[in-house]
Amino acid sequence: MKILFADNYHSMSRKAANIISAQLILNPHSVLGLPTGSSPIGTYQQLIEWYRKGDLDFSGCHTVNLDEYVGLAARDSQSYAWFMHQNLFSQINIDPANTHLPDGTQTDAAAECQRYNDLIHKLGGVDLQFLGIGPNGHIGFNEPGSAFEKETHCVALTESTIQANARFFASSDQVPTHAYTMGMKAIMQARKILLIASGAAKAGILYDALFGPITPQVPGSIVQLHPDITVVADQDALSVILSRQPQQVSGRTPC
Ligand code: F6R
């Protein structure tokens, strides 16, 4: 596991975008696993900027997103499909047919999860899985207590995740209660993982995920077992790790 230091959110985003760019340059046909949320927005903005400068080409790659709310259509402004369209896909030269998310309008959960698993396998698996981490340690929507061995499945969101995501909705009672999410098994099958974290609110959980016991109670802790994981986090998110395991953190140079 490599843990890279970033001064702040902007620097974290640039370092993460550099890693994604390297992946795309080395393999233009990469399958990228992507998250939504506040953490990756700066990375997506940086990738867009480099694309506009002519340094990046997304025409050959595929993306598979981690998750989608059950009940929301892609054109719903709160859906993750819409988030991805607005924050990345509409601003780069990716073929929309190569962008994949679970379909939140599908009511047959088993069939939709099977379709998504089959799709990921058909694409040859994920080359680089980009991840954020929730305040309770969730990855995708794999909430504490989720079995590690699951592929895509339907989950009931915990109250803490509903409250954390309420900031994107008019009120917390509008946050959907269920989501389709890639499971920890599918995430761990990615060839590489890139995990980002920013802000003091993530400091405790980042330490627990990377240095605590590997337990379903902290879903993100499973990444400790991945053979090729890079973590990029800013100073605030690294504060607990820097106080207890400073020798594990590298990359204190600008990027
Ligand atoms: C969303 C996802 C979630 C987020 C997590 C952190 O697709 O996978 O696990 O990464 O909730 O969200 P932010 O970045 O908003 O703190």
Side-chain angles (χ1 to χ4, degrees):
M1 174 167 57
K2 294 182 205 78
I3 304 177
L4 302 183
F5 175 91
D7 281 322
N8 50 35
Y9 179 83
H10 179 68
S11 160
M12 175 197 78
S13 302
R14 283 177 62 82
K15 289 189 179 188
N18 265 301
I19 293 168
I20 296 169
S21 298
Q23 173 68 38
L24 265 182
I25 290 166
L26 290 170
N27 177 8
H29 298 288
S30 293
V31 177
L32 303 175
L34 298 179
T36 57
S38 306
S39 306
I41 289 178
T43 307
Y44 294 153
Q45 285 170 349
Q46 185 62 77
L47 291 172
I48 292 164
E49 193 183 316
W50 288 335
Y51 160 70
R52 287 185 179 148
K53 282 185 178 160
D55 291 339
L56 281 177
D57 176 9
F58 292 85
S59 62
C61 78
H62 281 258
T63 62
V64 287
N65 261 81
L66 280 165
D67 41 17
E68 179 59 283
Y69 288 119
V70 173
L72 299 191
R75 64 184 176 281
D76 189 308
S77 62
Q78 305 294 353
S79 73
Y80 283 174
W82 186 254
F83 175 100
M84 292 307 301
H85 176 78
Q86 291 293 99
N87 288 291
L88 186 63
F89 299 153
S90 64
Q91 302 186 61
I92 57 175
N93 67 332
I94 195 164
D95 180 346
N98 290 354
T99 66
H100 309 283
L101 289 98
D103 180 350
T105 64
Q106 294 300 320
T107 49
D108 183 340
E112 176 54 15
C113 293
Q114 189 60 51
R115 180 195 72 81
Y116 207 62
N117 287 333
D118 291 347
L119 171 85
I120 294 169
H121 291 299
K122 207 171 129 202
L123 290 172
V126 174
D127 292 303
L128 176 65
Q129 179 65 58
F130 184 27
L131 296 173
I133 185 165
N136 62 3
H138 73 227
I139 296 277
F141 271 129
N142 296 282
E143 299 284 16
S146 300
F148 281 150
E149 66 272 19
K150 284 189 181 165
E151 293 192 272
T152 308
H153 58 291
C154 182
V155 287
L157 305 187
T158 63
E159 191 51 36
S160 77
T161 295
I162 289 173
Q163 293 307 330
N165 289 0
R167 65 192 192 277
F168 299 112
F169 291 79
S171 63
S172 60
D173 57 7
Q174 291 186 12
V175 184
T177 55
H178 289 74
Y180 294 133
T181 184
M182 280 169 66
M184 298 308 298
K185 179 176 174 185
I187 292 167
M188 288 295 285
Q189 282 170 346
R191 292 174 190 91
K192 291 181 184 175
I193 290 181
L194 167 62
L195 171 69
I196 58 169
S198 171
K202 299 281 173 74
I205 199 66
L206 191 64
Y207 177 84
D208 291 346
L210 303 184
F211 295 100
I214 297 170
T215 164
Q217 292 317 313
V218 181
S221 63
I222 187 119
V223 301
Q224 293 178 42
L225 298 176
H226 196 280
D228 190 349
I229 169 162
T230 303
V231 179
V232 184
D234 67 14
Q235 198 160 5
D236 291 341
L238 284 172
S239 56
V240 176
I241 295 176
L242 285 169
S243 68
R244 297 186 197 166
Q245 303 273 357
Q247 72 288 357
Q248 301 287 343
V249 180
S250 56
R252 296 186 197 221
T253 49
C255 174

